[in-house]
Amino acid sequence: MRAPKRALAASVLGLESFVVLFAGLVAFGLARRSDGAGATGGDTRALVVCAVLALACLLGAGLLRRPWGYVLGSVLQVAVLATGFWVPAMFFLGAVFAALWVVALRTGARIERERAEYAATHPAP
């Protein structure tokens, strides 16, 4: 059976990867539209950084089998918040995902603890 903590945390990182990628596309489109002449280096960097960050979120979801995978996921939460400098709405969305990350870790740990208590008091036949 898959660990609830890992499943919840991986779900948060997986969904977050899509949001970050779309934020990069928004940053690219906003800069291109305001420039009028086409894409510049600044908005291309935002798109590349967000794409790499989205891949890092997916990689982090896969690395949750290791204890340091949760540390990586926490660091990614800070990085996602930083994308708010390109797309201000990401300050809000990053905070929402950081809260979901904390809830996933706490709820998953509680479920695992309760399962262990149940298994200790109700032996298998």
Side-chain angles (χ1 to χ4, degrees), residues 1-124:
M1 185 181 314
R2 190 168 178 191
K5 180 178 173 182
R6 188 170 75 194
L8 291 171
S11 297
V12 170
L13 288 175
L15 292 172
E16 194 168 22
S17 69
F18 288 109
V19 171
V20 171
L21 182 61
F22 290 136
L25 291 170
V26 167
F28 181 78
L30 287 176
R32 184 178 177 130
R33 187 170 185 191
S34 67
D35 186 22
T40 63
D43 54 77
T44 303
R45 279 183 298 219
L47 181 60
V48 169
V49 167
C50 286
V52 169
L53 188 55
L55 286 174
C57 286
L58 291 175
L59 179 65
L63 292 174
L64 291 175
R65 292 186 177 125
R66 312 229 184 319
W68 52 267
Y70 294 98
V71 174
L72 174 63
S74 298
V75 169
L76 288 172
Q77 300 310 310
V78 175
V80 169
L81 273 170
T83 61
F85 290 110
W86 280 304
V87 180
M90 286 304 292
F91 285 126
F92 172 73
L93 290 173
V96 167
F97 274 102
L100 287 172
W101 177 254
V102 170
V103 168
L105 295 182
R106 293 185 70 187
T107 303
R110 189 195 66 199
I111 292 170
E112 289 174 0
R113 186 176 55 251
E114 289 175 358
R115 279 185 180 175
E117 289 172 4
Y118 181 83
T121 58
H122 297 84

